[in-house]
Amino acid sequence: MENQKLIEAYQHRRGNQIPSIARAPGRVNLIGDHTDYNDGFVMPMAIDREIKIAFTPRTDGKLCLFSIDFQEEFSMDLSSFEKGESHWGEYIKGIAWALQERGYSLKGWQGVMSGNIPKGAGLSSSAALELVAAVVFSRVSRFPWAPKEMALLAQKAENQWVGVNCGIMDQLISAAGEKDHALFMDCRNLETQSVPMPKGTAVIVMDTGTRRGLVDSAYNERREQCERASFFFNVPALRDVSMQTFQDSCESMDELIKKRARHVIGENQRVILAVEAMKKNQASELGKFLYESHVSLRDDFEVSSEALNLLVEIAMKDDACYGARMTGAGFGGCAVAVVKDHEAQAFMDRISSAFRIKASHSGEFYLCQAMDGAGVIEQC
Ligand code: GLA
Protein backbone atom coordinates (compact mmCIF):
# COMPACT_ATOMS: atom_id res chain seq x y z
CA MET A 1 0.00 0.00 0.00
CA GLU A 2 1.25 3.49 -0.86
CA ASN A 3 2.38 5.52 2.15
CA GLN A 4 -0.26 8.16 1.53
CA LYS A 5 -3.05 5.57 1.45
CA LEU A 6 -1.77 4.02 4.67
CA ILE A 7 -1.72 7.42 6.36
CA GLU A 8 -5.29 8.03 5.21
CA ALA A 9 -6.34 4.63 6.55
CA TYR A 10 -4.67 5.50 9.85
CA GLN A 11 -6.47 8.83 10.07
CA HIS A 12 -9.79 7.31 9.10
CA ARG A 13 -9.51 4.84 11.97
CA ARG A 14 -7.62 6.72 14.65
CA GLY A 15 -8.10 10.43 14.09
CA ASN A 16 -6.13 13.24 12.57
CA GLN A 17 -2.61 12.87 13.91
CA ILE A 18 0.10 12.39 11.31
CA PRO A 19 1.62 8.94 11.87
CA SER A 20 5.13 7.67 11.21
CA ILE A 21 5.54 4.61 9.03
CA ALA A 22 7.62 1.54 9.83
CA ARG A 23 8.36 -1.17 7.29
CA ALA A 24 9.99 -4.60 7.22
CA PRO A 25 10.58 -6.72 4.12
CA GLY A 26 10.04 -10.39 3.29
CA ARG A 27 12.91 -12.33 1.78
CA VAL A 28 13.91 -14.83 -0.82
CA ASN A 29 16.88 -17.07 -0.17
CA LEU A 30 19.21 -17.32 -3.19
CA ILE A 31 21.14 -20.27 -1.81
CA GLY A 32 21.83 -22.01 1.52
CA ASP A 33 18.74 -23.76 2.83
CA HIS A 34 18.50 -25.73 6.06
CA THR A 35 22.00 -24.53 6.90
CA ASP A 36 21.16 -21.69 9.31
CA TYR A 37 20.28 -23.95 12.26
CA ASN A 38 23.49 -25.87 11.58
CA ASP A 39 25.53 -22.69 12.24
CA GLY A 40 26.21 -22.55 8.51
CA PHE A 41 26.02 -20.14 5.58
CA VAL A 42 23.07 -18.60 3.73
CA MET A 43 22.62 -15.92 1.07
CA PRO A 44 19.13 -14.39 1.11
CA MET A 45 17.99 -10.99 -0.11
CA ALA A 46 15.28 -8.76 1.33
CA ILE A 47 12.62 -8.18 -1.35
CA ASP A 48 10.23 -5.44 -2.36
CA ARG A 49 7.35 -7.20 -0.63
CA GLU A 50 6.87 -5.83 2.84
CA ILE A 51 4.65 -5.08 5.82
CA LYS A 52 4.08 -1.46 6.83
CA ILE A 53 2.61 0.02 9.99
CA ALA A 54 1.48 3.65 10.30
CA PHE A 55 1.70 4.47 14.00
CA THR A 56 1.69 7.07 16.76
CA PRO A 57 2.72 6.64 20.41
CA ARG A 58 0.22 6.22 23.26
CA THR A 59 0.76 7.17 26.87
CA ASP A 60 -1.40 4.50 28.55
CA GLY A 61 0.80 1.42 27.93
CA LYS A 62 -1.68 -0.06 25.47
CA LEU A 63 -1.09 -1.27 21.94
CA CYS A 64 -3.91 -1.17 19.36
CA LEU A 65 -3.22 -2.36 15.84
CA PHE A 66 -5.69 -2.70 12.99
CA SER A 67 -4.80 -5.05 10.15
CA ILE A 68 -6.24 -3.73 6.90
CA ASP A 69 -5.61 -7.09 5.21
CA PHE A 70 -7.44 -9.14 7.85
CA GLN A 71 -9.91 -6.35 8.70
CA GLU A 72 -9.23 -7.08 12.33
CA GLU A 73 -8.28 -5.09 15.40
CA PHE A 74 -5.74 -6.47 17.87
CA SER A 75 -5.06 -4.88 21.22
CA MET A 76 -2.97 -5.67 24.27
CA ASP A 77 -1.84 -4.13 27.51
CA LEU A 78 1.96 -4.06 27.69
CA SER A 79 1.94 -4.41 31.47
CA SER A 80 0.16 -7.76 31.43
CA PHE A 81 -0.42 -10.18 28.59
CA GLU A 82 -0.54 -13.92 28.00
CA LYS A 83 -0.18 -16.39 25.20
CA GLY A 84 -3.33 -16.83 23.18
CA GLU A 85 -4.67 -18.83 20.27
CA SER A 86 -2.74 -18.92 17.02
CA HIS A 87 -3.29 -15.48 15.48
CA TRP A 88 -1.18 -12.77 13.87
CA GLY A 89 -1.35 -10.84 17.16
CA GLU A 90 0.79 -13.52 18.81
CA TYR A 91 3.77 -12.31 16.76
CA ILE A 92 3.27 -8.81 18.16
CA LYS A 93 2.95 -10.16 21.71
CA GLY A 94 5.98 -12.36 21.11
CA ILE A 95 8.22 -9.48 20.11
CA ALA A 96 6.91 -7.35 23.00
CA TRP A 97 7.72 -10.22 25.36
CA ALA A 98 11.23 -10.75 23.92
CA LEU A 99 12.03 -7.01 24.11
CA GLN A 100 10.81 -6.83 27.72
CA GLU A 101 12.77 -9.96 28.65
CA ARG A 102 15.84 -8.23 27.24
CA GLY A 103 15.17 -5.34 29.61
CA TYR A 104 13.61 -2.73 27.32
CA SER A 105 10.86 -0.69 28.89
CA LEU A 106 8.14 -0.49 26.24
CA LYS A 107 5.75 2.36 25.50
CA GLY A 108 2.34 1.81 23.94
CA TRP A 109 1.27 2.74 20.42
CA GLN A 110 -1.61 2.59 18.00
CA GLY A 111 -1.44 1.83 14.32
CA VAL A 112 -2.81 0.39 11.12
CA MET A 113 -0.96 -2.25 9.18
CA SER A 114 -0.89 -3.56 5.63
CA GLY A 115 1.40 -5.87 3.67
CA ASN A 116 1.88 -7.55 0.33
CA ILE A 117 3.95 -10.62 1.26
CA PRO A 118 1.92 -13.70 0.35
CA LYS A 119 1.31 -15.75 3.49
CA GLY A 120 2.50 -19.32 3.77
CA ALA A 121 4.53 -18.97 0.57
CA GLY A 122 7.90 -19.19 2.32
CA LEU A 123 8.73 -15.49 1.81
CA SER A 124 8.95 -14.82 5.56
CA SER A 125 5.86 -12.76 6.23
CA SER A 126 6.09 -13.73 9.90
CA ALA A 127 9.67 -12.48 10.27
CA ALA A 128 8.58 -9.23 8.58
CA LEU A 129 5.70 -8.90 11.05
CA GLU A 130 8.01 -9.39 14.02
CA LEU A 131 10.55 -6.91 12.69
CA VAL A 132 8.09 -4.20 11.70
CA ALA A 133 6.63 -4.34 15.22
CA ALA A 134 10.16 -4.19 16.66
CA VAL A 135 10.83 -1.04 14.60
CA VAL A 136 7.70 0.61 16.01
CA PHE A 137 8.66 -0.33 19.58
CA SER A 138 12.18 0.98 19.12
CA ARG A 139 10.82 4.28 17.81
CA VAL A 140 8.11 4.91 20.40
CA SER A 141 10.16 3.56 23.31
CA ARG A 142 13.27 5.39 22.11
CA PHE A 143 15.87 2.69 22.05
CA PRO A 144 18.37 2.46 19.19
CA TRP A 145 17.69 0.16 16.23
CA ALA A 146 20.34 -2.58 16.30
CA PRO A 147 19.50 -4.97 13.43
CA LYS A 148 21.34 -8.05 14.71
CA GLU A 149 20.03 -7.75 18.23
CA MET A 150 16.49 -7.18 16.93
CA ALA A 151 16.78 -10.21 14.64
CA LEU A 152 17.84 -12.38 17.58
CA LEU A 153 14.95 -11.12 19.70
CA ALA A 154 12.50 -11.72 16.84
CA GLN A 155 13.84 -15.26 16.48
CA LYS A 156 13.41 -15.74 20.23
CA ALA A 157 9.81 -14.52 19.91
CA GLU A 158 9.15 -16.97 17.12
CA ASN A 159 10.86 -19.91 18.91
CA GLN A 160 9.60 -19.36 22.42
CA TRP A 161 6.37 -17.40 22.11
CA VAL A 162 4.89 -18.52 18.80
CA GLY A 163 6.50 -21.96 19.13
CA VAL A 164 8.12 -22.28 15.69
CA ASN A 165 11.65 -23.62 15.91
CA CYS A 166 13.15 -21.54 13.05
CA GLY A 167 16.79 -20.53 12.52
CA ILE A 168 18.06 -16.93 12.30
CA MET A 169 18.06 -16.36 8.52
CA ASP A 170 14.60 -14.86 7.99
CA GLN A 171 14.74 -12.41 10.88
CA LEU A 172 18.31 -11.34 10.14
CA ILE A 173 17.69 -10.58 6.47
CA SER A 174 14.45 -8.73 7.23
CA ALA A 175 16.37 -6.63 9.77
CA ALA A 176 19.64 -6.14 7.91
CA GLY A 177 18.91 -6.47 4.16
CA GLU A 178 20.67 -4.15 1.73
CA LYS A 179 19.28 -2.50 -1.38
CA ASP A 180 20.52 -4.06 -4.62
CA HIS A 181 22.45 -6.76 -2.78
CA ALA A 182 22.10 -10.26 -1.47
CA LEU A 183 23.53 -10.80 2.01
CA PHE A 184 26.02 -13.54 2.70
CA MET A 185 25.55 -14.55 6.35
CA ASP A 186 27.54 -16.64 8.72
CA CYS A 187 24.82 -17.98 11.01
CA ARG A 188 27.32 -18.77 13.76
CA ASN A 189 28.67 -15.30 14.43
CA LEU A 190 25.99 -13.38 12.46
CA GLU A 191 28.58 -11.59 10.37
CA THR A 192 27.17 -10.43 7.06
CA GLN A 193 28.67 -9.34 3.80
CA SER A 194 26.70 -7.69 1.01
CA VAL A 195 27.11 -9.26 -2.42
CA PRO A 196 25.86 -7.61 -5.63
CA MET A 197 23.97 -9.70 -8.17
CA PRO A 198 25.98 -10.49 -11.34
CA LYS A 199 25.48 -7.80 -14.00
CA GLY A 200 22.58 -8.35 -16.36
CA THR A 201 20.68 -10.74 -14.07
CA ALA A 202 17.27 -10.56 -12.44
CA VAL A 203 15.81 -12.58 -9.58
CA ILE A 204 12.39 -14.14 -10.08
CA VAL A 205 10.32 -15.62 -7.27
CA MET A 206 8.16 -18.44 -8.59
CA ASP A 207 5.28 -19.35 -6.28
CA THR A 208 3.86 -22.82 -6.94
CA GLY A 209 0.64 -21.77 -5.22
CA THR A 210 0.85 -24.94 -3.12
CA ARG A 211 0.95 -24.76 0.68
CA ARG A 212 1.80 -27.62 2.99
CA GLY A 213 0.38 -28.03 6.47
CA LEU A 214 3.04 -30.40 7.78
CA VAL A 215 6.02 -28.09 7.37
CA ASP A 216 6.56 -27.59 11.11
CA SER A 217 6.84 -31.24 12.07
CA ALA A 218 8.96 -32.14 9.05
CA TYR A 219 11.18 -29.12 9.79
CA ASN A 220 11.70 -30.18 13.40
CA GLU A 221 12.42 -33.72 12.28
CA ARG A 222 15.15 -32.43 9.91
CA ARG A 223 16.66 -30.40 12.75
CA GLU A 224 16.84 -33.48 14.95
CA GLN A 225 18.44 -35.50 12.16
CA CYS A 226 21.09 -32.80 11.74
CA GLU A 227 21.76 -32.89 15.49
CA ARG A 228 22.22 -36.63 15.30
CA ALA A 229 24.70 -36.11 12.47
CA SER A 230 26.75 -33.55 14.39
CA PHE A 231 26.71 -35.90 17.40
CA PHE A 232 28.13 -38.61 15.12
CA PHE A 233 31.00 -36.33 14.09
CA ASN A 234 31.38 -35.11 17.66
CA VAL A 235 31.21 -31.42 16.71
CA PRO A 236 28.97 -28.59 17.95
CA ALA A 237 27.22 -28.28 14.56
CA LEU A 238 27.44 -29.64 11.01
CA ARG A 239 29.12 -26.39 10.05
CA ASP A 240 32.25 -27.88 11.61
CA VAL A 241 32.43 -30.86 9.25
CA SER A 242 34.29 -30.53 5.92
CA MET A 243 33.30 -32.57 2.88
CA GLN A 244 36.61 -34.40 3.21
CA THR A 245 35.95 -35.43 6.82
CA PHE A 246 32.43 -36.43 5.86
CA GLN A 247 33.64 -38.65 3.02
CA ASP A 248 36.40 -40.18 5.11
CA SER A 249 34.19 -41.13 8.03
CA CYS A 250 30.58 -41.45 6.93
CA GLU A 251 30.62 -45.16 6.13
CA SER A 252 29.17 -46.37 9.40
CA MET A 253 26.50 -43.67 9.49
CA ASP A 254 22.80 -44.41 9.32
CA GLU A 255 21.84 -43.94 5.62
CA LEU A 256 19.17 -41.32 6.26
CA ILE A 257 21.34 -39.25 8.59
CA LYS A 258 24.17 -39.51 6.07
CA LYS A 259 21.97 -37.99 3.34
CA ARG A 260 20.86 -35.15 5.60
CA ALA A 261 24.47 -34.39 6.59
CA ARG A 262 25.67 -34.54 2.98
CA HIS A 263 23.13 -31.89 2.04
CA VAL A 264 24.12 -29.48 4.80
CA ILE A 265 27.87 -29.91 4.30
CA GLY A 266 27.57 -29.59 0.51
CA GLU A 267 25.18 -26.65 0.77
CA ASN A 268 27.61 -24.70 2.94
CA GLN A 269 30.28 -25.20 0.29
CA ARG A 270 27.90 -24.13 -2.46
CA VAL A 271 27.07 -20.89 -0.67
CA ILE A 272 30.76 -19.97 -0.51
CA LEU A 273 31.21 -20.86 -4.19
CA ALA A 274 28.10 -18.89 -5.12
CA VAL A 275 29.46 -15.80 -3.36
CA GLU A 276 32.69 -16.10 -5.37
CA ALA A 277 30.76 -16.54 -8.62
CA MET A 278 28.68 -13.45 -7.89
CA LYS A 279 31.73 -11.36 -7.08
CA LYS A 280 33.26 -12.40 -10.40
CA ASN A 281 30.05 -11.68 -12.29
CA GLN A 282 29.73 -15.32 -13.31
CA ALA A 283 26.00 -15.76 -13.72
CA SER A 284 26.22 -19.23 -15.28
CA GLU A 285 28.42 -20.50 -12.46
CA LEU A 286 25.99 -19.11 -9.92
CA GLY A 287 23.12 -20.78 -11.75
CA LYS A 288 24.90 -24.12 -11.66
CA PHE A 289 25.23 -23.96 -7.86
CA LEU A 290 21.56 -23.00 -7.54
CA TYR A 291 20.48 -26.09 -9.41
CA GLU A 292 22.90 -28.32 -7.48
CA SER A 293 21.35 -26.96 -4.31
CA HIS A 294 17.91 -27.90 -5.59
CA VAL A 295 18.97 -31.44 -6.41
CA SER A 296 20.47 -31.83 -2.94
CA LEU A 297 17.35 -30.46 -1.20
CA ARG A 298 15.23 -32.76 -3.35
CA ASP A 299 17.23 -35.98 -3.08
CA ASP A 300 19.27 -35.79 0.12
CA PHE A 301 17.33 -33.47 2.39
CA GLU A 302 13.97 -34.47 0.90
CA VAL A 303 12.13 -31.22 1.48
CA SER A 304 11.06 -30.43 -2.09
CA SER A 305 7.67 -31.27 -3.60
CA GLU A 306 6.27 -32.32 -6.94
CA ALA A 307 5.13 -28.80 -7.78
CA LEU A 308 8.49 -27.29 -6.82
CA ASN A 309 10.39 -29.88 -8.86
CA LEU A 310 8.16 -29.30 -11.84
CA LEU A 311 8.59 -25.55 -11.70
CA VAL A 312 12.37 -25.78 -11.32
CA GLU A 313 12.67 -28.21 -14.25
CA ILE A 314 10.53 -25.99 -16.49
CA ALA A 315 12.63 -22.97 -15.53
CA MET A 316 15.93 -24.80 -16.10
CA LYS A 317 14.92 -25.64 -19.67
CA ASP A 318 14.36 -22.00 -20.53
CA ASP A 319 17.23 -20.25 -22.35
CA ALA A 320 16.85 -17.12 -20.23
CA CYS A 321 17.45 -19.03 -17.00
CA TYR A 322 20.90 -19.32 -15.40
CA GLY A 323 19.67 -21.46 -12.53
CA ALA A 324 16.69 -22.24 -10.33
CA ARG A 325 15.94 -23.98 -7.05
CA MET A 326 13.32 -24.40 -4.38
CA THR A 327 13.82 -21.82 -1.67
CA GLY A 328 13.10 -21.63 2.07
CA ALA A 329 11.85 -24.49 4.21
CA GLY A 330 10.29 -26.38 1.28
CA PHE A 331 7.34 -28.80 0.97
CA GLY A 332 5.50 -26.23 -1.13
CA GLY A 333 5.70 -22.46 -1.50
CA CYS A 334 8.29 -20.86 -3.74
CA ALA A 335 11.22 -21.53 -6.00
CA VAL A 336 13.70 -18.86 -7.13
CA ALA A 337 15.36 -18.33 -10.51
CA VAL A 338 18.24 -16.14 -11.65
CA VAL A 339 17.58 -15.08 -15.26
CA LYS A 340 18.81 -12.70 -17.96
CA ASP A 341 17.36 -9.36 -16.91
CA HIS A 342 16.21 -8.21 -20.37
CA GLU A 343 14.23 -11.45 -20.69
CA ALA A 344 12.68 -11.41 -17.22
CA GLN A 345 9.12 -10.63 -18.29
CA ALA A 346 9.20 -13.01 -21.25
CA PHE A 347 10.62 -15.72 -18.95
CA MET A 348 7.80 -15.25 -16.45
CA ASP A 349 5.19 -15.43 -19.23
CA ARG A 350 6.66 -18.61 -20.68
CA ILE A 351 7.10 -20.36 -17.33
CA SER A 352 3.69 -19.31 -16.14
CA SER A 353 1.89 -20.87 -19.09
CA ALA A 354 4.05 -24.00 -19.17
CA PHE A 355 3.46 -24.52 -15.43
CA ARG A 356 -0.29 -23.96 -15.74
CA ILE A 357 -0.54 -26.62 -18.43
CA LYS A 358 1.54 -29.23 -16.62
CA ALA A 359 0.41 -28.62 -13.04
CA SER A 360 -3.21 -27.85 -13.93
CA HIS A 361 -3.20 -24.87 -11.57
CA SER A 362 -1.54 -21.44 -11.79
CA GLY A 363 1.58 -20.17 -10.10
CA GLU A 364 2.50 -16.58 -9.28
CA PHE A 365 5.67 -14.96 -10.59
CA TYR A 366 7.40 -11.86 -9.26
CA LEU A 367 10.40 -9.97 -10.48
CA CYS A 368 12.17 -9.01 -7.23
CA GLN A 369 14.31 -6.04 -6.28
CA ALA A 370 16.69 -6.39 -3.35
CA MET A 371 15.69 -3.91 -0.63
CA ASP A 372 17.01 -2.46 2.60
CA GLY A 373 16.10 -4.12 5.88
CA ALA A 374 13.48 -2.90 8.36
CA GLY A 375 13.26 0.76 9.37
CA VAL A 376 11.15 3.91 9.58
CA ILE A 377 10.31 5.47 6.23
CA GLU A 378 8.31 8.50 7.17
CA GLN A 379 8.39 10.53 10.31
CA CYS A 380 6.34 13.31 11.70
C1 GLA B 1 12.61 -21.44 7.26
C2 GLA B 1 13.25 -21.04 8.58
C3 GLA B 1 14.70 -20.58 8.38
C4 GLA B 1 15.49 -21.59 7.55
C5 GLA B 1 14.73 -22.01 6.31
C6 GLA B 1 15.41 -23.12 5.56
O1 GLA B 1 12.47 -20.31 6.44
O2 GLA B 1 12.52 -20.00 9.19
O3 GLA B 1 15.30 -20.32 9.61
O4 GLA B 1 15.84 -22.70 8.34
O5 GLA B 1 13.41 -22.42 6.61
O6 GLA B 1 16.61 -22.69 5.04
Side-chain angles (χ1 to χ4, degrees):
M1 184 176 275
E2 295 299 317
N3 295 343
Q4 193 47 40
K5 281 239 160 73
L6 192 65
I7 291 172
E8 281 163 24
Y10 174 92
Q11 291 175 336
H12 176 71
R13 195 152 182 103
R14 313 257 179 228
N16 269 340
Q17 278 172 294
I18 299 173
S20 301
I21 296 180
R23 59 167 280 282
R27 65 100 185 91
V28 64
N29 189 19
L30 279 184
I31 190 163
D33 270 312
H34 293 275
T35 45
D36 63 349
Y37 54 80
N38 290 295
D39 278 2
F41 306 123
V42 295
M43 190 161 43
M45 63 188 223
I47 58 175
D48 48 347
R49 296 262 163 170
E50 58 190 10
I51 300 179
K52 289 182 190 171
I53 295 179
F55 65 95
T56 56
R58 286 175 71 110
T59 49
D60 61 359
K62 291 210 167 65
L63 185 162
C64 305
L65 178 59
F66 180 71
S67 161
I68 296 174
D69 308 323
F70 294 114
Q71 285 293 303
E72 224 177 13
E73 175 88 6
F74 163 79
S75 57
M76 64 185 282
D77 190 327
L78 289 165
S79 64
S80 144
F81 57 97
E82 285 170 3
K83 279 190 195 175
E85 299 286 295
S86 155
H87 182 266
W88 57 268
E90 291 304 302
Y91 292 90
I92 311 286
K93 282 192 213 164
I95 194 75
W97 166 78
L99 288 163
Q100 286 179 339
E101 285 273 297
R102 165 70 183 71
Y104 289 113
S105 153
L106 299 184
K107 298 258 173 7
W109 47 275
Q110 56 189 14
V112 300
M113 171 171 82
S114 179
N116 62 356
I117 310 170
K119 272 161 287 295
L123 299 178
S124 295
S125 57
S126 52
L129 179 54
E130 290 148 11
L131 268 304
V132 72
V135 170
V136 180
F137 277 121
S138 87
R139 191 48 68 114
V140 300
S141 313
R142 296 183 186 279
F143 57 82
W145 179 251
K148 285 177 192 170
E149 183 194 24
M150 292 302 138
L152 283 168
L153 292 175
Q155 185 198 15
K156 180 174 175 178
E158 181 126 3
N159 292 167
Q160 295 181 34
W161 189 276
V162 181
V164 175
N165 206 12
C166 64
I168 188 64
M169 169 170 70
D170 306 345
Q171 287 77 13
L172 187 54
I173 187 65
S174 184
E178 244 187 83
K179 193 166 168 44
D180 300 330
H181 292 79
L183 224 57
F184 167 72
M185 298 174 179
D186 179 333
C187 297
R188 173 163 278 167
N189 58 19
L190 303 192
E191 273 172 22
T192 61
Q193 193 189 330
S194 52
V195 190
M197 290 303 295
K199 290 204 176 66
T201 61
V203 175
I204 310 288
V205 168
M206 310 188 289
D207 186 350
T208 59
T210 57
R211 308 283 183 259
R212 281 287 175 86
L214 288 174
V215 182
D216 282 359
S217 57
Y219 185 88
N220 289 339
E221 186 184 71
R222 296 302 183 285
R223 287 192 69 143
E224 276 162 35
Q225 291 163 341
C226 290
E227 277 162 27
R228 278 172 63 190
S230 60
F231 183 75
F232 176 90
F233 290 107
N234 196 22
V235 289
L238 279 178
R239 146 74 173 277
D240 302 300
V241 184
S242 69
M243 194 47 102
Q244 194 60 54
T245 308
F246 171 78
Q247 280 161 354
D248 292 346
S249 49
C250 71
E251 215 165 293
S252 63
M253 272 180 108
D254 173 278
E255 278 308 313
L256 188 70
I257 304 302
K258 193 195 290 186
K259 279 167 61 168
R260 304 299 191 242
R262 185 165 55 208
H263 164 71
V264 174
I265 296 163
E267 187 81 348
N268 277 331
Q269 272 188 343
R270 282 185 288 275
V271 176
I272 305 280
L273 293 169
V275 172
E276 279 168 25
M278 282 168 72
K279 285 185 177 162
K280 292 188 197 146
N281 258 314
Q282 294 169 332
S284 306
E285 278 291 289
L286 171 65
K288 193 181 89 181
F289 300 129
L290 258 57
Y291 186 64
E292 284 177 15
S293 163
H294 179 76
V295 170
S296 176
L297 287 158
R298 182 189 69 195
D299 298 343
D300 275 349
F301 217 65
E302 297 179 283
V303 290
S304 192
S305 72
E306 231 176 87
L308 283 165
N309 294 339
L310 177 63
L311 199 43
V312 168
E313 293 309 324
I314 293 172
M316 288 303 295
K317 287 205 188 88
D318 194 288
D319 284 345
C321 181
Y322 290 113
R325 60 185 285 275
M326 59 147 278
T327 180
F331 307 102
C334 292
V336 61
V338 173
V339 306
K340 295 176 183 159
D341 63 352
H342 61 278
E343 287 218 45
Q345 189 55 52
F347 169 84
M348 289 192 284
D349 294 344
R350 289 194 292 265
I351 304 304
S352 169
S353 58
F355 182 71
R356 193 177 325 112
I357 291 164
K358 292 207 169 145
S360 62
H361 70 270
S362 310
E364 293 270 353
F365 300 84
Y366 321 108
L367 171 63
C368 285
Q369 307 298 333
M371 300 301 279
D372 282 331
V376 171
I377 42 179
E378 214 159 89
Q379 262 177 283
C380 49

